[in-house]
């Protein structure tokens, strides 16, 4: 919200602003984690069954990093994933690291565009940003699925 106007006003410092935004966002993720950890399952149990909570925990345990990563640079509400991380017992250090990388990709991408193209960057991204994010997310998921499948094949496991 603040990065683009600041970067447009001073394109020379766009990458510095991107760094500040990425680090601040990763620190903010820890706040979301704390909220989720503090709320714990008591809040969830009022809305969903214990079986569903356990199912989500298993899924989050296996795929949480990918979800956090994709939410970190996409239009998906990122804060939901940070709060869920606390509720699901996801490690705060891992959350911080994944957040720093994914938010860094997003903010440095925006900052780099503005640094090199100035106000023209807005026109280039306008209307196409979501498409690029979706294409990137699908590519990441495909690579992730391929790596998991190859790992199972190499380890002699049956595919499920």
């Amino acid at each position: 919200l603040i990065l683009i106007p600041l970067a447009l006003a001073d394109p020379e410092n766009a990458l510095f602003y991107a760094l500040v935004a990425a680090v601040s966002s990763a620190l903010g993720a820890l706040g979301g984690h704390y909220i989720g950890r503090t709320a714990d399952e008591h809040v969830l149990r009022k809305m969903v069954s214990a079986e569903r909570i356990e199912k989500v925990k298993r899924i989050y345990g296996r795929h949480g990093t990918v979800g956090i990563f994709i939410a970190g640079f996409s239009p998906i509400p990122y804060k939901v994933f940070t709060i869920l991380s606390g509720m699901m017992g996801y490690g705060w250090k891992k959350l911080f690291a994944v957040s720093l990388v994914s938010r860094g990709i997003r903010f440095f991408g925006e900052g780099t565009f503005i640094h090199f193209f100035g106000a023209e960057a807005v026109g280039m991204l306008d209307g196409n940003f979501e498409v690029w994010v979706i294409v990137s997310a699908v590519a990441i998921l495909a690579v992730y699925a391929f790596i998991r499948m190859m790992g199972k094949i190499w380890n002699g496991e049956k595919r499920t």
Side-chain angles (χ1 to χ4, degrees):
L1 187 62
I2 296 173
L3 172 62
I4 293 174
L6 281 174
L8 286 171
D10 186 9
E12 290 295 316
N13 285 314
L15 298 177
F16 172 71
Y17 299 142
L19 175 66
V20 171
V23 171
S24 299
S25 182
L27 289 171
L30 297 180
H33 185 276
Y34 177 77
I35 290 168
R37 194 181 74 223
T38 313
D40 203 18
E41 290 182 21
H42 297 69
V43 175
L44 282 178
R45 288 189 184 188
K46 292 180 180 182
M47 297 179 272
V48 295
S49 68
E51 296 99 28
R52 286 197 178 168
I53 293 171
E54 289 306 313
K55 183 177 180 180
V56 169
K57 278 186 175 182
R58 283 192 305 276
I59 292 170
Y60 210 82
R62 291 179 77 192
H63 308 290
T65 301
V66 173
I68 294 165
F69 186 83
I70 290 172
F73 72 87
S74 72
I76 297 170
Y78 181 65
K79 197 52 73 182
V80 170
F81 281 82
T82 65
I83 293 170
L84 189 59
S85 293
M87 289 180 152
M88 297 295 118
Y90 194 84
W92 67 270
K93 291 177 185 176
K94 194 172 181 181
L95 174 66
F96 181 78
V98 174
S99 297
L100 193 58
V101 171
S102 65
R103 298 307 265 180
I105 289 170
R106 178 183 180 139
F107 296 138
F108 274 97
E110 293 169 354
T112 301
F113 259 86
I114 293 171
H115 179 76
F116 288 110
F117 298 108
E120 290 178 38
V122 175
M124 294 167 72
L125 291 174
D126 192 32
N128 296 318
F129 183 72
E130 287 80 11
V131 172
W132 284 108
V133 167
I134 290 168
V135 168
S136 299
V138 168
I140 289 169
L141 286 174
V143 169
Y144 175 73
F146 177 76
I147 290 170
R148 285 190 51 88
M149 180 183 74
M150 293 308 292
K152 287 181 179 182
I153 290 171
W154 289 328
N155 292 327
E157 298 175 26
K158 293 182 182 178
R159 290 190 344 205
T160 56

